[in-house]
Amino acid sequence: MAQQCMTVAIADLNASASHINHSLKLILHPRNSMGQPLKALSSAVELLENEQVEALIGPQTSEEAELLGELGDRVPLISFSASSPFLSREKCPNFIRMTTNDNSQVGAIAALVQKFGWRELVIIHEDSSYGNGIVPDLLLAIDEGNARVAHRTAIPPQARDIYVEAQLYKLMALSANIFIVHMSASLASRFFVKVNELGMMSTGYGWIVTDGIINELPVMDQSVLDSMQGVIGIRPYIPSSERLHNFSLHWRNNSFTNQHHRIPEVNVYCLWAYDSVWALAKAVYHLGPTTSMQKNDSANKLAHLAAFPSRRTGSDLVRTILRGKFTGLSGEIQLKNGQLQQPLAFEIVNVVRRVKRIGFWTQWNGITQGLNGSSVATQSPSLRKMGSIGWPGSSSAVPKGKQVMRKTGKRMRIAVPVKPGFKELVGVELDPETNTTIVTGFCIDVFKAAIDLLPYEVKFDFIPFPNSTTGNHYEDLIYHVYLQHYDAAVGDLTITANRSSYVDFTMPFTEAGVAMIVPVETTQSTSMWIFLQPLKVDLWLAIGAFFVFTGCVVWTVEHIDNSGFKGALARQIGTVVWYSFSTLVFPQWEKLISNSSKVVVIVWLFVVLILTSSYTANLSSMLTVRQLEYLPKGESVGVPFGSPVNQPVLINSSKETSFPLLQTVEDYANALREGSQNGGVAAIIDELPYVKLFLSKYSAQYTMVEPLYNNTNGFGFAFPKGSPLVPDISASIAKLREDGKLYLIGQNWFKDHYLFPDQDSATEVARLDLYRFRGLFLITGITSTVALIASYKFRKKKSTVKQHEVADQRAKEKSSLISTYIAVLICGNMPGTLKLLGIFPAVR
């Protein structure tokens, strides 16, 4: 296929007028190395001596490229398929890689592993320069994705089928069932046939293959394709173009025949071979004619490789090729560091009867379902979706990734501490009817919920760990996990630095820290001025001021029209004070006339209602106060024996003692009830989960003093060092907390006491101040002010109207008198007129 593509490339060059240089002609001298590096070297020497070639295009394998590296110092060595990261221009300055580096696809593989939630897998690679080159970067990428490579198998390229079968049997005994395969197509064609024969291409398995296999699927036998149903693969994305379409159409019409079957589709290696010829031709045309190589007649060609003269134009030709930039069949051709730049995207394909594309991967957007014209994800990074996937065994369910101890039939042995108290956290009981052990508790339910969230199956059995005779029950349990007598420990296990040096803990699933339990007593206040304490001085003064202000506003609005607000000055002052202060206790006798004053009173009554309610509530709290019993010097503070609490000095005046009998909630209550003087304790220091569980039952008699320090890290599950379950269980716990399921589990066990709200241990009830009620006073102040202004304007308007009415009345009277006067004059009754003038001096 490569030879055919290069032949077509030369024909297209000769047909392109823009690239024809009549003094230059490219002649192809093909040689078939048969995949043998020594034969490739022999052919290269023969071409250099006999044909005096100016460049070598090929070799096709990384091993051949490494062996021909020395020849590459004399002439350009261009490879379109040698992708091993071990090949570099540092070793061979004239080596040019017209293909992608294998390391460019490790990001896509790691993204797939992370997307499906796989945490343990196996790498199977060819034991060659090509197969080993990708391994370091692949391991690093998988590790950064929080996954673990449980095993790595290397298979020689010429391994016999019986050897491949033996390696597969070893892999079947492993717990992991997700495999990443990186090998040549020739080895892969035999490998997957054996995989299918042994039943490893069935439901529950997952297979990811690299581009070296996917790119050559069109040339593989149908039996190989049938054996790879359900495989997911990676291959470089080749953007479509009219030129590529025409080339593919020409290829289909003249399908290349290989080993008695036609190949209707051309693969990416052929496209790169085509582009390699064009890159070389462009560089040659740019430099012009060169001198021919001197011929070496040495019979022993291998012994005289160093005798080949270094060509004057060899390095010039390499530099010209490296600087070239053009659009080829495979897309934009631009070399960087002597190799083709990483493609803009990789295709994710699924082998289900045919090779089906299910998504893309880009370095910037990760896994996406589609690309736009600029090879940029068409979805936001949060929509990490792919097309439907067919998994091995014709299953549509994502493989679980691993089944712990599945092959051996062994189940995980989970140790659970046996203790007499705090059954809500972890309880172990024996069912007398079935003679089976029943393990319950908050810690157990959290562990089961975390296991259910794992993307793989974990089977386990709870094994009771009996109470230790040494007294260090939990320390012994941790040590047994360290010795791998158990596969994990689940229960109320506190995470400490010392324990973490022996085992690996998951992230905590309870609150961290310690606290102290102290008794409380109820006391009656005897202060004669207790009734003044609910409110601060500023609030008292504000209330008094607004009482007077509200009374004055009501009087101002009502006193003109309302007889109840009239009278002597002393009476009116008394009415103002009486009316406003009487709103506290009973209805007012004075009836209001103005609507403005009614609005003022309604708002003020609402303010008074709020103030009286708040006053009553605060006064009730002050009359009966829960107080802490302060620990005098010499009192004992209990610490449960074996507790990880480091017994820090909370109260300098008290002494601390460890009590072996403090094992249950009732033991705590009895020790506190007896007191320090009667063999008990005055207070108990313990971790927050125990303290709050105790207070859920005895909150009336005891309270918790908030810790001033935090020297514990909460409860976690313990696993042996290096266990792959630790990060997965931690992620599940975080998921439970985010989804609120951890809270619901706690509610199931502790009812309303889960995440127990901290009790108020303050000895003084907060007094109410003006700042808290500033909104109320602002409302009533604005209402009264607006009512006062409205009343003033209304009264002023009313007075103006009245004055106009009086003036009109006087004008009418004057007109009537003048008419009478005129009538008298007309009648000639002067005495009568004089009399009239005497009666009405205003007319005069």
Side-chain angles (χ1 to χ4, degrees):
M1 293 176 67
Q3 178 182 345
Q4 183 73 9
C5 286
M6 288 188 287
T7 301
V8 174
I10 293 176
D12 291 346
L13 278 167
N14 294 332
S16 177
S18 60
H19 294 91
I20 291 179
N21 187 329
H22 295 286
S23 61
L24 296 175
K25 185 177 181 181
L26 268 68
I27 301 175
L28 189 64
H29 299 275
R31 297 291 187 274
N32 190 356
S33 65
M34 307 299 293
Q36 301 177 15
L38 290 179
K39 189 173 182 60
L41 179 60
S42 175
S43 299
V45 171
E46 185 268 328
L47 288 170
L48 289 172
E49 286 189 330
N50 299 335
E51 304 296 341
Q52 298 184 7
V53 295
E54 300 292 336
L56 295 174
I57 297 182
Q60 295 191 49
T61 66
S62 300
E63 289 74 16
E64 293 177 10
E66 283 186 334
L67 193 57
L68 298 184
E70 183 64 23
L71 296 180
D73 291 336
R74 274 68 180 175
V75 296
L77 179 62
I78 307 173
S79 176
F80 52 82
S81 57
S83 56
S84 172
F86 291 159
L87 297 171
S88 65
R89 296 193 67 243
E90 286 76 12
K91 296 180 180 179
C92 180
N94 283 14
F95 174 71
I96 300 174
R97 193 202 308 268
M98 285 292 294
T99 181
T100 57
N101 191 316
D102 280 336
N103 285 341
S104 62
Q105 60 186 318
V106 299
I109 297 174
L112 283 173
V113 173
Q114 189 172 13
K115 175 178 178 59
F116 296 126
W118 296 328
R119 291 292 178 266
E120 188 174 270
L121 43 87
V122 175
I123 294 178
I124 306 172
H125 63 93
E126 182 178 298
D127 191 8
S128 63
S129 176
Y130 164 74
N132 296 328
I134 195 177
V135 172
D137 280 25
L138 182 59
L139 291 173
L140 181 61
I142 292 174
D143 182 69
E144 291 176 351
N146 295 325
R148 170 177 172 266
V149 177
H151 187 73
R152 184 160 61 93
T153 297
I155 301 177
Q158 304 300 331
R160 299 171 60 186
D161 290 350
I162 190 173
Y163 178 86
V164 174
E165 187 174 337
Q167 296 302 315
L168 290 175
Y169 275 118
K170 294 179 181 179
L171 297 177
M172 291 176 65
L174 300 176
S175 61
N177 56 350
I178 304 298
F179 303 94
I180 297 176
V181 181
H182 176 66
M183 58 181 59
S184 62
S186 59
L187 178 60
S189 60
R190 297 187 292 116
F191 174 80
F192 279 102
V193 170
K194 286 297 179 183
V195 167
N196 191 39
E197 290 178 357
L198 295 181
M200 297 180 69
M201 198 61 69
S202 57
T203 303
Y205 285 94
W207 296 87
I208 299 177
V209 298
T210 56
D211 62 347
I213 300 174
I214 293 297
N215 288 335
E216 298 201 35
L217 284 181
V219 301
M220 291 186 180
D221 293 336
Q222 187 60 41
S223 60
V224 178
L225 294 178
D226 294 340
S227 301
M228 296 179 64
Q229 297 298 301
V231 169
I232 292 179
I234 307 293
R235 69 183 179 189
Y237 170 65
I238 305 299
S240 58
S241 64
E242 183 178 359
R243 188 180 175 192
L244 177 59
H245 173 73
N246 294 334
F247 180 84
S248 300
L249 188 61
H250 177 268
W251 183 273
R252 293 191 192 99
N253 294 334
N254 303 275
S255 296
F256 178 67
T257 303
N258 179 38
Q259 296 182 358
H260 309 293
H261 70 275
R262 296 167 65 85
I263 304 174
E265 298 292 337
V266 63
N267 64 24
V268 68
Y269 294 126
C270 289
L271 300 182
W272 285 329
Y274 182 99
D275 291 338
S276 298
V277 173
W278 274 69
L280 176 62
K282 285 177 174 289
V284 170
Y285 293 157
H286 182 270
L287 290 177
T290 61
T291 59
S292 60
M293 178 183 288
Q294 296 179 2
K295 192 172 182 179
N296 192 328
D297 294 329
S298 172
N300 192 346
K301 300 169 184 157
L302 295 180
H304 293 84
L305 289 178
F308 293 150
S310 180
R311 308 186 66 96
R312 178 182 60 84
T313 61
S315 58
D316 295 337
L317 186 57
V318 170
R319 284 194 294 269
T320 306
I321 295 174
L322 294 178
R323 289 196 299 264
K325 182 179 180 181
F326 65 97
T327 301
L329 289 181
S330 61
E332 291 294 328
I333 301 298
Q334 185 176 5
L335 300 175
K336 184 178 181 180
N337 297 326
Q339 62 185 9
L340 201 62
Q341 283 190 328
Q342 178 174 333
L344 295 177
F346 278 92
E347 286 185 283
I348 304 174
V349 299
N350 185 208
V351 182
V352 184
R353 293 187 299 274
R354 59 183 179 85
V355 180
K356 179 183 69 172
R357 182 172 64 197
I358 57 176
F360 295 89
W361 178 87
T362 63
Q363 188 176 0
W364 302 274
N365 297 307
I367 296 176
T368 56
Q369 193 171 9
L371 300 175
N372 60 21
S374 301
S375 298
V376 179
T378 58
Q379 303 169 314
S380 63
S382 61
L383 299 176
R384 309 291 190 187
K385 297 181 179 179
M386 292 194 300
S388 60
I389 302 175
W391 297 100
S394 300
S395 173
S396 59
V398 179
K400 285 288 190 177
K402 65 180 178 183
Q403 299 179 1
V404 178
M405 301 180 184
R406 169 178 55 86
K407 295 301 180 182
T408 61
K410 185 180 178 182
R411 301 166 63 93
M412 290 187 67
R413 303 179 73 250
I414 308 296
V416 179
V418 178
K419 55 186 301 183
F422 297 97
K423 299 292 186 179
E424 294 85 352
L425 294 174
V426 56
V428 180
E429 297 180 355
L430 183 65
D431 189 344
E433 297 181 359
T434 61
N435 199 29
T436 58
T437 302
I438 301 176
V439 182
T440 59
F442 169 70
C443 301
I444 303 301
D445 286 354
V446 172
F447 179 76
K448 291 180 178 179
I451 290 293
D452 291 339
L453 290 180
L454 295 178
Y456 47 83
E457 182 182 6
V458 177
K459 297 181 179 180
F460 57 87
D461 294 317
F462 289 120
I463 310 297
F465 185 78
N467 218 333
S468 175
T469 57
T470 63
N472 296 323
H473 182 46
Y474 287 92
E475 303 301 331
D476 292 344
L477 174 57
I478 295 297
Y479 189 65
H480 277 271
V481 175
Y482 165 73
L483 297 177
Q484 297 188 8
H485 294 165
Y486 299 98
D487 299 310
V490 171
D492 50 342
L493 305 174
T494 304
I495 303 173
T496 64
N498 180 59
R499 293 175 178 177
S500 297
S501 62
Y502 292 93
V503 297
D504 284 343
F505 281 99
T506 62
M507 72 176 300
F509 56 90
T510 61
E511 188 177 0
V514 298
M516 183 167 64
I517 305 172
V518 294
V520 295
E521 63 177 2
T522 301
T523 59
Q524 300 290 335
S525 178
T526 59
S527 174
M528 63 180 296
W529 303 108
I530 186 68
F531 67 92
L532 295 176
Q533 294 181 5
L535 309 182
K536 288 187 176 181
V537 176
D538 58 348
L539 184 56
W540 279 120
L541 294 177
I543 292 173
F546 270 85
F547 267 121
V548 176
F549 174 68
T550 303
C552 291
V553 171
V554 174
W555 174 84
T556 302
V557 174
E558 294 284 338
H559 82 283
I560 295 178
D561 300 324
N562 193 337
S563 60
F565 288 87
K566 294 181 179 181
L569 178 62
R571 182 179 183 278
Q572 294 187 43
I573 294 175
T575 300
V576 169
V577 177
W578 164 262
Y579 188 87
S580 60
F581 280 92
S582 64
T583 56
L584 284 171
V585 290
F586 50 79
Q588 296 71 36
W589 293 343
E590 294 78 4
K591 302 297 183 181
L592 301 179
I593 298 176
S594 173
N595 290 331
S596 298
S597 59
K598 292 178 181 179
V599 172
V600 170
V601 172
I602 290 174
V603 174
W604 176 245
L605 288 175
F606 173 73
V607 174
V608 169
L609 175 64
I610 299 299
L611 291 173
T612 52
S613 301
S614 302
Y615 174 84
T616 304
N618 222 33
L619 180 61
S620 301
S621 299
M622 289 183 172
L623 291 175
T624 303
V625 182
R626 297 174 73 248
Q627 294 182 342
L628 299 178
E629 287 188 356
Y630 290 98
L631 303 179
K633 185 176 181 180
E635 295 290 340
S636 298
V637 177
V639 177
F641 186 77
S643 172
V645 178
N646 293 330
Q647 302 182 12
V649 179
L650 282 180
I651 301 176
N652 295 329
S653 62
S654 302
K655 62 182 180 179
E656 300 174 3
T657 307
S658 293
F659 285 82
L661 297 179
L662 297 181
Q663 297 180 346
T664 66
V665 173
E666 290 71 21
D667 293 341
Y668 281 39
N670 293 334
L672 290 169
R673 191 179 299 111
E674 292 175 359
S676 180
Q677 304 299 327
N678 299 318
V681 294
I684 295 177
I685 299 175
D686 207 346
E687 296 175 84
L688 283 175
Y690 300 111
V691 171
K692 292 184 175 182
L693 183 58
F694 171 80
L695 293 178
S696 68
K697 300 180 179 180
Y698 295 94
S699 59
Q701 298 87 16
Y702 306 96
T703 188
M704 177 179 69
V705 176
E706 288 294 336
L708 301 179
Y709 56 90
N710 185 352
N711 69 338
T712 63
N713 300 299
F715 294 161
F717 305 128
F719 291 85
K721 282 288 186 179
S723 173
L725 285 174
V726 173
D728 296 353
I729 297 293
S730 297
S732 297
I733 293 173
K735 181 68 174 175
L736 290 173
R737 182 174 283 110
E738 292 174 1
D739 295 344
K741 295 181 180 179
L742 191 61
Y743 173 80
L744 295 178
I745 296 174
Q747 287 284 355
N748 182 50
W749 283 100
F750 309 118
K751 306 303 179 187
D752 295 332
H753 302 290
Y754 183 61
L755 298 179
F756 315 97
D758 295 334
Q759 299 178 3
D760 184 11
S761 58
T763 59
E764 181 181 358
V765 179
R767 300 175 65 189
L768 304 177
D769 56 7
L770 176 61
Y771 186 78
R772 300 185 183 184
F773 296 95
R774 62 189 185 279
L776 285 176
F777 289 109
L778 181 63
I779 293 173
T780 186
I782 293 175
T783 303
S784 299
T785 303
V786 171
L788 189 63
I789 295 173
S791 176
Y792 170 76
K793 290 184 176 181
F794 176 76
R795 188 178 297 112
K796 185 177 181 180
K797 181 178 180 181
K798 184 177 181 182
S799 176
T800 302
V801 172
K802 189 174 183 180
Q803 290 177 2
H804 291 166
E805 291 177 352
V806 172
D808 293 343
Q809 182 66 27
R810 287 183 177 180
K812 291 179 181 180
E813 292 176 353
K814 181 178 179 180
S815 176
S816 177
L817 290 174
I818 292 174
S819 299
T820 305
Y821 175 66
I822 293 172
V824 171
L825 289 178
I826 293 173
C827 295
N829 187 2
M830 185 60 67
T833 302
L834 295 174
K835 185 178 181 181
L836 180 64
L837 294 173
I839 296 174
F840 299 101
V843 176
R844 202 167 43 249

